[in-house]
Amino acid sequence: MSEKDLLLGPVLSFRGVGKNNAWRVTALIGLKESAPVPALEVDGHKCPAPRELLLHKGERYLRYDISCDMQVGERRVSYGIPGGLQWSFTVPGKADAPRMAYVSCNGFSDPSAMRKIVRTANSVWEDLLYSHDRELRAKSGAGEAKLLDKEQLWHEQRIHDRGLQRFHLMLMGGDQIYFDSIWEDIKALREWVAMPRDRQLAFEVGKALEREIESYYLGLYQQRWLPAGRKSWSSPEPALDASVALASIPAIMMWDDHDIFDGWGSFSPEMQQCQLFEVMFRHARRAFWVFQMQHALQDLPELEDATPPGFARQDPMFRPIAWSQALAQDRLALPMLDAQPGFSSAYAVGPVAIVAADLRTERSRTQVIGNDTWGRLKAWIGGLGGGNGSRRSTRSACGHLLFMSSVPVVHPKLSMAELLLDKFGQDHVTDSNADDLKDHWSHDDHEGERKRLLEVLSSLARDKKIRVSLVSGDVHVAAWGTAYKKDLPASETWSQIHQLTSSAVVHPSLMGVMERLFLFWLNSSAKSQQNIDVQYVAEMMMFPGHDQYVKAARNWLALELDAGSAENRKLWATWRCETETGFSNHLLAIAPVL
């Protein structure tokens, strides 16, 4: 295969731990339709023939199985085309906790905003990759002393001196791609934005426009994830960007609004149900299924409306999908929760469990997750096994649950802004201010579901002695918060649920004059505890190593557990926040439940 035929990838996807300790990983590669299908090998062994996921407009997208056996110790494995391009990733040992990186918001809504950033668009990705892989640093031609600080140097002896990479998994919490440009790039949609609201709601989507929308959603991933202007893979000094991270760290991805378009799910019921929105969502869902979930397009079941007769269609009610049956023939299917209409997935990886919750498929102004999904999430979480004397289940000897919520569960509440924008900020697809606030779990319309989530997670922590942490992005700041039950003695440490917020890896943080005023307002609001009800409190904490509650800087987050017994395994959360001249480190140690 000629590198000129490569359109996208490789993009690694983690499929969970399989039987006999198989580290299940797939690689997505896009090729010109006319190009020969290459054979791949992993760890010196030939890979099975790939599966075609999509053939569209002269582009072929293939999924390769590059799974490996987990051994006693961790190891680095190479994969690629025999005699051609090669990449690598690191597989943890059988009993190891995976080292993880978390990122979100890999893009931007407004191209003009990118001109305001002090450093390059990919500088945060570069920093993550410097921390991840010494070989990538060497290829970039950058000097060690110039690039590495104390935090990075700490990992050299224990990881890089052994020829390993730092991260086994990359959690991608939403907005892996930004589709907001669709409103400008497609002429008919640009005209739709300028229409009066009644004409927008009555607008009919013709076949030609639908084909254009479909092609836009299926085509933008290739343009954004392997840009045409970047250095080639065979370049002696390759670009260090999202493409490199996607090729060297198996990812768990979950979508958020920009993976559809800005604000999806937080518009009025009338707008959400108009024909144009439904067509756009359908094609965004299909593209997400192929490129982020790495499943064949033909295997995606359509959503079926299940609103009872006589019911107002305010909140989406979809018929649950039997994913175990729909994907029965796909041995590399993602571990999606069965009998739910969305894409919520769950993973048990040694002492860590990860839930990637789908907060978009069933979202409305008054709903985050539908009833069937709630039931499946509660059942899976309730089946986890804990330590410290409780009986461990065969599913996992879990000591720590990471719950991926694309939108933070604990975040400053802006009641006055909610009031103003609820009245005046309705249904403008190119103005995100109103929908950003309506998205929040802390918004009055979602407060009941936030209580429900905290009750489900607190019950797990109390009954199974499992530490629960929430990992989120979306808000373009770094922040730390907690939620806990009131009036408990300090010894009841299970009650502490930590909120770790990290965004964005590309999107600019709060920089303009009005944004700085908003930041001041945000920090002022963060001083007040949120009394959710008679049981629960949500509280923002001073950001580690900073004098404010939220830090306005592009950033990424490392999540690493100590080695040893469950009783001694702290989770270390390390934010790397961009500065004008480098990066600052902000560390937090989260103790296990005692």
Side-chain angles (χ1 to χ4, degrees), residues 95 351 387-388 392 397 399 561-570 592-593:
N388 299 342
R392 299 189 178 209
L561 270 81
D562 285 333
S565 63
E567 293 80 6
N568 299 314
R569 277 187 167 172
K570 292 187 179 71
V593 175

Side-chain angles (χ1 to χ4, degrees), residues 109-170:
S109 303
D110 180 8
S112 65
M114 296 301 290
R115 292 194 287 269
K116 300 177 184 177
I117 60 177
V118 177
R119 308 186 72 192
T120 65
N122 288 318
S123 66
V124 184
W125 277 118
E126 288 176 0
D127 184 71
L128 190 158
L129 289 164
Y130 290 149
S131 291
H132 175 59
D133 191 338
R134 177 188 285 170
E135 291 184 10
L136 291 173
R137 294 202 303 264
K139 288 180 181 178
S140 72
E144 295 276 322
K146 179 182 177 182
L147 291 169
L148 301 187
D149 57 28
K150 282 186 177 181
E151 168 61 22
Q152 290 167 310
L153 285 169
W154 189 82
H155 301 286
E156 290 299 284
Q157 184 175 12
R158 71 188 191 100
I159 297 173
H160 297 312
D161 284 355
R162 297 162 55 208
L164 302 171
Q165 297 156 306
R166 183 175 177 186
F167 299 113
H168 304 114
L169 291 175
M170 181 163 61

